[in-house]
Amino acid sequence: MINTFAQVDYLASAGRSVWHRASAFTKLLAALAAVGAAVFAPGWPALAVLLVTAIALTVTAQLPPRLILAAATTPILFALLFVLASWHGHLVDALVLGMRPVISSLIALWLVGTTPYPDLFAPISRVMPRALGDGLFLTYRAVFTLLDRIERLWKALFLRGALEGPLRRRASMMGEAVGTVVLYGFERSQRLYQVMHLRGHSGRICGCRHWLEVREEDAWVLALVVWILLSSLYLSGVPRT
Amino acid sequence: MSHLHIPDGVLPPLVWILGAILAVLVLALSGRFTRHQGPQQIAFQSALGGIMLAVMAIPMPITAFDYCMTLAGPIGVLLGAAGALQVSFVVTVILALLGQGGFTVIGLNTLVLGAGAALARPLYCSLVAWLKPPGAMAAATAISQLFSSALWIGMLWLSVRVAPQSARDHEIAHALVWFKGGALVAVLVPLLGLAVGVEALLGYGLAGFLERVRPDLLPRSAGTPAPSPEGVKP
């Protein structure tokens, strides 16, 4: 998952598609409209249009096919439990249940794959209490440093044979290993606190100001919102079977 | 098990909307308890949130299947209820942005993950008077994990009870029937037991390490003021 983290983070910053140049705020609105339409769509016709739209968005955002496939299949594994559990011979119902999470996951990929995280978190953190808004930024930053350390630690444990032997010993050793990471995280937070002080932390991390800079490309995003809403409303009246 | 990973569009809207409202209320309440905390505490919470995400990403070769830890119990012990709930929310939002669990179930995911974590410190503080820190941490982790799992199942039950006439709830009802059917129980109960056992052992090792090198990071027994990272000099 973290490789995905790093890959998506890179693509969001380095991508050059029309969606990358649009503002974070309008993309966030479009994503909310698409997820809302997918969740509340009563039947498969509207969902089919949304699915095609979501795939088209990820493809035109020049996201790697492997990532698109991963985003499309990951929620299926979790939704499968519910699809199997609710199976009563109606393929269409199962299809509807399976399509919704796929659309949502693809839309999430499109959003995070075209929006750098400071731009994405800035509007979200504005509507949150300070601790949560700042937590979003700092947690996301911490993940990469800590993951690198954890991966090296796991490799060292593996090479030294700590991942062999009885379960009790393995889990306990891993707990100790996690302890070193917790300690590192604590010391890192101390340094971060000092850095924040030195840089004149005013009591809130605001992120950058690009998220609300409306550009020409935002017209495409607004057209997308109109397309999602109109097609969903129109196709909601189409019979399900 | 304690992390739902249920994607969008599976649960009835009434359930996830109620979950979202409840999560907002609980987070607002946690905000009241943490409003005086400085950037240092936020940085510490974020570091532990980062560890939670990083650890969730690494599959552990425990059985034939890989198991992804949550560390919700130990992090709940280290941060306390309010901090643990806030970290759970932040982690859930980032996971949702990566397609792990839907946007609409962010509230429910926060409640399920955070409630177990929030329970961990009071449990630990009660138990540490009787047990050594590693044992207390293991027990608090196991109980908090079971509590989260119970909430997860309760949430499914609620899905049936809230609006039994709707089609989607009917599906959830089927899911519960399937649960009761035995086949799933036979698979899930041993897996849940294994997951709880592994998390408890991890908590045991973690507390054992911290007890040796930084005992000040572990809270003390009930009635003794818990140490705060703000009070620890770098």
Side-chain angles (χ1 to χ4, degrees):
Chain A
M1 188 174 79
I2 291 289
N3 284 340
T4 315
F5 248 119
Q7 195 181 1
V8 168
D9 195 65
Y10 172 76
L11 289 167
S13 304
R16 291 284 172 270
S17 75
V18 66
W19 305 118
H20 285 86
R21 292 192 295 274
S23 76
F25 184 65
T26 51
K27 279 187 282 186
L28 207 55
L29 284 182
L32 288 177
V35 171
V39 168
F40 290 107
W44 69 267
L47 286 170
V49 169
L50 282 169
L51 182 62
V52 172
T53 306
I55 293 170
L57 285 175
T58 52
V59 170
T60 52
Q62 297 162 5
L63 298 172
R66 221 173 122 183
L67 211 55
I68 298 172
L69 195 65
T73 50
T74 303
I76 287 180
L77 294 173
F78 299 111
L80 194 65
L81 175 73
F82 292 90
V83 171
L84 285 175
S86 63
W87 179 256
H88 48 275
H90 292 164
L91 188 64
V92 174
D93 287 352
L95 204 65
V96 165
L97 206 58
M99 280 164 84
R100 285 193 183 117
V102 173
I103 294 165
S104 181
S105 181
L106 286 171
I107 292 293
L109 174 67
W110 168 75
L111 179 67
V112 295
T114 58
T115 320
Y117 86 92
D119 291 356
L120 187 60
F121 289 166
I124 299 174
S125 69
R126 300 235 160 199
V127 294
M128 284 181 181
R130 183 174 67 92
L132 297 179
D134 288 2
L136 262 181
F137 284 103
L138 298 178
T139 304
Y140 193 83
R141 270 195 64 171
V143 169
F144 293 100
T145 326
L146 293 168
L147 184 88
D148 190 40
R149 199 172 176 85
I150 289 177
E151 275 183 341
R152 272 188 280 129
L153 193 72
W154 246 238
K155 229 173 261 178
L157 285 174
F158 176 75
L159 290 172
R160 293 183 179 200
L163 303 183
E164 300 293 324
L167 178 62
R168 189 184 183 282
R169 180 175 162 271
R170 268 183 291 166
S172 189
M173 293 274 282
M174 284 176 198
E176 293 218 0
V178 170
T180 65
V181 182
V182 168
L183 209 56
Y184 172 75
F186 174 72
E187 282 161 4
R188 188 183 171 280
S189 72
Q190 300 272 355
R191 286 198 303 277
L192 188 63
Y193 167 68
Q194 287 165 347
V195 169
M196 283 159 80
H197 254 292
L198 277 173
R199 291 186 177 180
H201 176 62
S202 61
R204 181 167 201 129
I205 299 173
C206 295
C208 61
R209 313 268 176 215
H210 308 305
W211 61 276
L212 204 49
E213 281 175 8
V214 179
R215 303 186 185 98
E216 280 178 22
E217 287 81 3
D218 285 295
W220 288 100
V221 183
L222 292 175
L224 172 71
V225 174
V226 172
W227 163 253
I228 288 168
L229 294 179
L230 286 182
S231 61
S232 297
L233 284 173
Y234 177 72
L235 291 169
S236 293
V238 174
R240 285 204 219 177
T241 50
Chain B
M1 184 67 181
S2 69
H3 191 71
L4 284 177
H5 279 317
I6 291 180
D8 289 312
V10 176
L11 295 182
L14 195 60
V15 172
W16 59 257
I17 289 169
L18 279 175
I21 292 169
L22 196 58
V24 167
L25 292 176
V26 168
L27 285 169
L29 192 66
S30 77
R32 285 178 67 88
F33 284 102
T34 57
R35 71 184 150 182
H36 297 302
Q37 70 183 16
Q40 193 174 10
Q41 180 66 20
I42 296 173
F44 184 52
Q45 274 185 209
S46 305
L48 289 185
I51 292 171
M52 207 170 178
L53 273 171
V55 163
M56 274 181 186
I58 293 184
M60 281 181 58
I62 295 299
T63 58
F65 301 100
D66 286 338
Y67 170 67
C68 289
M69 298 172 285
T70 65
L71 277 188
I75 281 173
V77 170
L78 292 174
L79 287 178
L85 275 164
Q86 292 177 350
V87 166
S88 300
F89 172 74
V90 168
V91 165
T92 306
V93 168
I94 294 176
L95 283 174
L97 285 170
L98 286 170
Q100 301 278 322
F103 290 107
T104 54
V105 284
I106 283 175
L108 283 174
N109 275 334
T110 302
L111 289 176
V112 170
L113 189 67
L119 189 69
R121 185 183 268 199
L123 278 171
Y124 174 88
C125 290
S126 307
L127 290 168
V128 83
W130 309 92
L131 301 167
K132 285 183 177 173
M137 177 74 92
T141 302
I143 296 169
S144 68
Q145 194 80 5
L146 284 171
F147 182 65
S148 282
S149 305
L151 274 182
W152 189 83
I153 292 166
M155 187 270 305
L156 281 182
W157 176 82
L158 189 70
S159 299
V160 179
R161 299 288 296 179
V162 166
Q165 300 305 316
S166 78
R168 214 163 293 117
D169 288 335
H170 188 60
E171 288 162 8
I172 301 292
H174 271 274
L176 281 184
V177 168
W178 204 42
F179 266 92
K180 286 176 193 165
L184 202 59
V185 171
V187 178
L188 276 185
V189 170
L191 278 179
L192 173 64
L194 189 66
V196 170
V198 169
E199 292 264 359
L201 285 171
L202 281 168
Y204 184 90
L206 172 65
F209 178 79
L210 290 180
E211 190 194 13
R212 283 201 307 277
V213 296
R214 284 298 295 267
D216 55 305
L217 287 180
L218 290 169
R220 291 165 202 155
S221 60
T224 315
S228 158
E230 303 215 25
V232 181
K233 287 181 182 167

